[in-house]
Amino acid sequence: MAIHSSMRGLRCFCVAADCLSFKETARQLYLTPSAVSHQIKQLESELGLDLFLRQTRSVELTAQGKAFYQALLPLMRELEQTLRTFSQQKNPTEISISMPEFFASELFVPRLVGWSEQHPDINLKVETIKSRQDPAKHTDLQILLASSKPSDKIAYELFPISYVPACNPALYQQLSGLGFEALTKVPCLVHQARPWSWHQWAEQLEMEVFTPKQVIQLDSMFSVARAAQQGLGIALVPWPISHSWFASGSLKRLFSEELESRDKYYLVQHETDPNKPQIQLLVDWILQSFQRTG
């Protein structure tokens, strides 16, 4: 039987087999989810195989799908390398990296100045994540916040963080003389991924009674810091990553006591791609820029 599978269909299958999500495959290949589904169904029809088990919210590879993927992947990589070698035009390498939204806005993006001048042949794709509860992005590198070192083969510790109580200058003037009673006057702001942070902070201080006026959870650390800047209440913001907010005067520490945590930022490289030696350039730059410095 003649097989007429297109390169697009095979590429679509490899991406879908890697991320196990038609929606994510569509995003990576700039297609619609229905187009991805059509490509996969057409390939399955040509092969006479069921490659995926389709469930309501997810897909999984069948045993035949796994075997086909393992056999096809090295061939696709070899073909891509061949095309790259014989290409008449030098195409820029694209490196993708995902990281928490607050890390991107406060540290990574501000320090990117000069990167494009040093590496004009490397395109950088930055994906941001609001919360640790959000699904992981499928990228070459990942910066993440975790309470223990990731189990990936290649993981570098960057720096630890603590959380400091902060508010805007106007609230500071009103509350600074009240001591911990200030917590009963205005709302306590916190990231929804750490809803008990204020209670943990009070426990570290051995407060016998902790009765805040109100606790407001927000879905991103930028929203937490922004809400405090706007005078909504007192926020627990991560230090030292929020340094610029204090340096600019947008926020002031209301109490000197910090919430100590096991949280640290890590840089993770999921696997080594021999076709992308430029990844190591970005790894080296990140380590030089952020490791143990914050």
Side-chain angles (χ1 to χ4, degrees):
M1 180 182 67
I3 299 296
H4 304 287
S5 299
S6 67
M7 282 297 300
R8 178 180 292 182
L10 295 173
R11 173 62 174 160
C12 192
F13 166 73
C14 285
V15 174
D18 177 57
C19 65
L20 296 178
S21 167
F22 287 179
K23 183 177 180 180
E24 175 64 17
T25 299
R27 189 193 64 78
Q28 291 190 33
L29 298 180
Y30 302 98
L31 299 172
T32 64
S34 61
V36 170
S37 181
H38 174 74
Q39 293 280 352
I40 300 297
K41 286 181 180 178
Q42 186 175 9
L43 180 60
E44 289 178 322
S45 176
E46 291 177 350
L47 295 174
L49 301 173
D50 289 328
L51 301 174
F52 289 96
L53 293 173
R54 294 164 173 81
Q55 301 175 2
T56 304
R57 295 182 178 274
S58 64
V59 294
E60 295 181 9
L61 284 169
T62 63
Q64 291 175 316
K66 290 179 181 178
F68 183 60
Y69 177 58
Q70 292 170 356
L72 178 62
L73 185 60
L75 299 178
M76 292 294 290
R77 286 178 173 171
E78 183 177 353
L79 179 58
E80 289 175 355
Q81 180 60 39
T82 301
L83 292 173
R84 191 177 294 113
T85 300
F86 285 89
S87 174
Q88 295 299 314
Q89 179 180 359
K90 184 181 178 182
N91 296 317
T93 299
E94 180 178 276
I95 300 176
S96 59
I97 182 170
S98 62
M99 65 190 68
E101 182 182 50
F102 203 61
F103 189 101
S105 66
E106 303 309 307
L107 291 184
F108 192 80
V109 173
R111 296 190 190 182
L112 271 179
V113 176
W115 168 264
S116 61
E117 295 179 356
Q118 296 175 35
H119 306 287
D121 58 339
I122 301 176
N123 291 334
L124 195 59
K125 183 178 181 180
V126 180
E127 301 269 6
T128 60
I129 302 170
K130 281 188 175 183
S131 168
R132 280 179 281 187
Q133 298 172 344
D134 291 346
K137 306 283 187 177
H138 297 276
T139 52
D140 297 313
L141 298 172
Q142 180 184 14
I143 293 175
L144 55 83
L145 183 64
S147 58
S148 60
K149 189 173 183 178
S151 58
D152 299 75
K153 290 182 180 179
I154 307 176
Y156 307 90
E157 180 182 322
L158 297 180
F159 58 89
I161 64 170
S162 58
Y163 297 85
V164 301
C167 60
N168 73 0
L171 271 184
Y172 180 85
Q173 291 294 328
Q174 299 176 29
L175 304 174
S176 59
L178 300 180
F180 296 146
E181 186 182 348
L183 300 170
T184 66
K185 304 298 183 182
V186 296
C188 292
L189 313 176
V190 69
H191 195 301
Q192 68 180 20
R194 296 183 60 97
W196 299 106
S197 292
W198 274 108
H199 294 80
Q200 292 169 348
W201 176 83
E203 185 176 339
Q204 282 190 7
L205 268 61
E206 298 182 348
M207 288 187 181
E208 294 184 3
V209 179
F210 178 64
T211 55
K213 176 182 179 180
Q214 185 182 26
V215 175
I216 297 179
Q217 300 179 30
L218 297 130
D219 68 350
S220 73
M221 189 52 72
F222 181 83
S223 297
V224 173
R226 182 67 171 166
Q229 181 192 35
Q230 294 295 316
L232 181 58
I234 309 167
L236 278 176
V237 294
W239 180 264
I241 192 173
S242 58
H243 175 267
S244 64
W245 293 73
F246 295 91
S248 67
S250 297
L251 294 177
K252 292 181 69 69
R253 287 197 189 205
L254 185 59
F255 310 119
S256 61
E257 293 83 357
E258 301 179 1
L259 171 60
E260 302 296 335
S261 77
R262 294 180 297 173
D263 290 344
K264 296 178 181 179
Y265 280 104
Y266 295 91
L267 171 64
V268 173
Q269 185 174 353
H270 298 294
E271 60 182 37
T272 302
D273 187 343
N275 296 324
K276 282 188 177 181
Q278 297 88 344
I279 291 177
Q280 189 60 45
L281 294 175
L282 183 56
V283 169
D284 293 341
W285 178 81
I286 291 173
L287 295 179
Q288 181 181 3
S289 300
F290 306 115
Q291 193 170 46
R292 297 189 182 278
T293 66

